Amino acid sequence: MNTQALNDFFAWNMGQWHSIAEDRLMAEAEQQELFDLMASEDLPETAMTMDVADGYLTGLAIGRHAPMVHEWMEDVFGQPTLPLPHDSARQQRLLALLRHRYLDIQLRLGTPAHALTTDNLFTPVHGEVPEDECIQPYRLDAQGQRMGNWMLKDWANGLRQGLQTSPLWDELFEDPEAVLLLGPVMLLQLGYNPDRLEMQVDQLPTLQQDLINVLYGMWRWGHTQSGEGASAPAPYERDAPKVGRNDPCPCGSGKKYKKCCGA
C-alpha cells in the first residue's frame, strides 16, 4: 500500500501499531502540555487552535462515525504533511498527545453517570480570552454578529464542525426533543441571546456546566440511537416548543430552522 498517497499522518499512525494504546485518562499536566504545543508559533498557519481542535475532536467523538486518525489529523493541521518537520521530538510528542486527547474525550464521555467524579468528568480544553478582545457589554455589528471574542466561542465552533461530519448533526435537529441539547452550543457560537438581549451569555455562571451536561446528553442519545446499548440519556425538561423545519431557528437568528442550524 502506498501510504504516502493517503497522507503522512497515515504512515505515522501505522507506525504506532506496536505502541501500547492509551486507555487511561490524560493528566492535567498532559492537557497543558498539549495546549502549549498547539500554541507553537512554528505550526502551519492552517492549523486549528487548541480551542477549535478540542471542540472538533469532541464533536467527532460524539458523532459516532468519526474519520480515521490520519483524516482528522490532516483536518486539525490543515495539511497532509506532518507538522514541525524540523523538530522530530516535538512532532512525535504533539501527535501522540493529540491522539491521546481524542481517546481521553471518549473515555470521559463514555463513563456512566453513576461513576462520574471530579477526576473523570469531561471538561473542554480551552484558553482564556484576553480582556482587550472581549467587548463588555457586548456589541453587534451591522450584520447582527457579536463583535470581538468571548469564552468558548472557538471551542463551540470546533464542536459544530466535528458534529457536522456525522449524520448525528441532522438527527439531533430532526428529533424535536434532542434538538434542545444544542441550545448552549448555539448560545456560545452566537455570543448572545437574541430573545434576551440584556444577557451577557459568556458571564452566565452555569453556562459551562450546562454545556458539559448537554455533551453527555448528546453522547448518550447518539449511542442509544445507534443501538450500542448505552444507558438512556439523562432526563431534561422541555422549556421550548417542538421545532419544525419551517419554524424560527431555536438559536434565535431570526431565520427559519431549515435555513439556519437545521440546514
Side-chain angles (χ1 to χ4, degrees):
M1 178 180 295
N2 182 1
T3 57
Q4 185 64 36
L6 294 170
N7 66 26
D8 288 353
F9 297 104
F10 180 85
W12 175 84
N13 194 49
M14 288 294 290
Q16 308 303 306
W17 68 268
H18 60 282
S19 63
I20 299 175
E22 293 284 8
D23 58 354
R24 61 172 179 82
L25 300 177
M26 287 187 82
E28 184 176 346
E30 291 173 314
Q31 291 187 10
Q32 184 61 53
E33 183 183 2
L34 174 58
F35 188 93
D36 293 341
L37 284 169
M38 287 294 291
S40 300
E41 294 183 357
D42 48 352
L43 283 179
E45 294 182 358
T46 52
M48 296 178 181
T49 64
M50 186 64 224
D51 290 53
V52 176
D54 196 69
Y56 176 64
L57 293 180
T58 303
L60 294 184
I62 291 173
R64 304 191 313 270
H65 305 294
M68 299 183 71
V69 172
H70 68 277
E71 295 173 321
W72 63 251
M73 279 194 172
E74 179 172 341
D75 289 342
V76 167
F77 294 104
Q79 62 181 35
T81 54
L82 301 182
L84 307 175
H86 55 284
D87 192 334
S88 177
R90 277 201 304 146
Q91 176 192 87
Q92 296 301 306
R93 185 61 175 161
L94 170 59
L95 298 181
L97 285 172
L98 197 61
R99 189 177 65 165
H100 191 180
R101 173 55 177 167
Y102 179 56
L103 296 174
D104 175 72
I105 291 169
Q106 296 174 71
L107 289 171
R108 292 177 187 275
L109 289 178
T111 301
H114 66 83
L116 286 175
T117 68
T118 55
D119 292 327
N120 61 23
L121 182 72
F122 171 85
T123 55
V125 174
H126 66 93
E128 298 295 327
V129 177
E131 290 186 8
D132 60 346
E133 293 183 14
C134 187
I135 301 173
Q136 296 181 355
Y138 74 87
R139 298 203 303 270
L140 304 181
D141 62 19
Q143 288 72 45
Q145 303 295 315
R146 178 174 170 177
M147 302 168 64
N149 198 358
W150 56 91
M151 184 181 70
L152 290 169
K153 170 189 174 183
D154 290 342
W155 194 95
N157 285 327
L159 176 72
R160 177 169 179 165
Q161 184 178 343
L163 286 172
Q164 287 180 319
T165 67
S166 165
L168 182 69
W169 178 258
D170 291 331
E171 292 168 6
L172 281 167
F173 274 109
E174 290 168 1
D175 187 305
E177 298 286 344
V179 69
L180 300 179
L181 292 170
L182 294 171
V185 179
M186 296 173 181
L187 282 179
L188 286 170
Q189 284 189 285
L190 283 174
Y192 71 102
N193 187 336
D195 294 327
R196 297 180 60 185
L197 294 175
E198 76 283 359
M199 180 187 294
Q200 189 84 26
V201 299
D202 47 316
Q203 293 184 351
L204 294 175
T206 64
L207 186 60
Q208 180 159 319
Q209 185 58 54
D210 291 341
L211 174 64
I212 292 170
N213 288 340
V214 300
L215 292 173
Y216 276 99
M218 288 181 198
W219 173 277
R220 293 167 184 156
W221 183 85
H223 285 73
T224 300
Q225 293 295 105
S226 68
E228 295 180 13
S231 57
Y236 57 91
E237 296 294 328
R238 175 189 291 278
D239 58 4
K242 292 185 177 182
V243 182
R245 297 289 289 172
N246 291 309
D247 291 338
C249 186
C251 76
S253 66
K255 300 179 182 179
K256 287 185 177 181
Y257 169 59
K258 66 182 181 181
K259 295 291 187 181
C260 188
C261 294

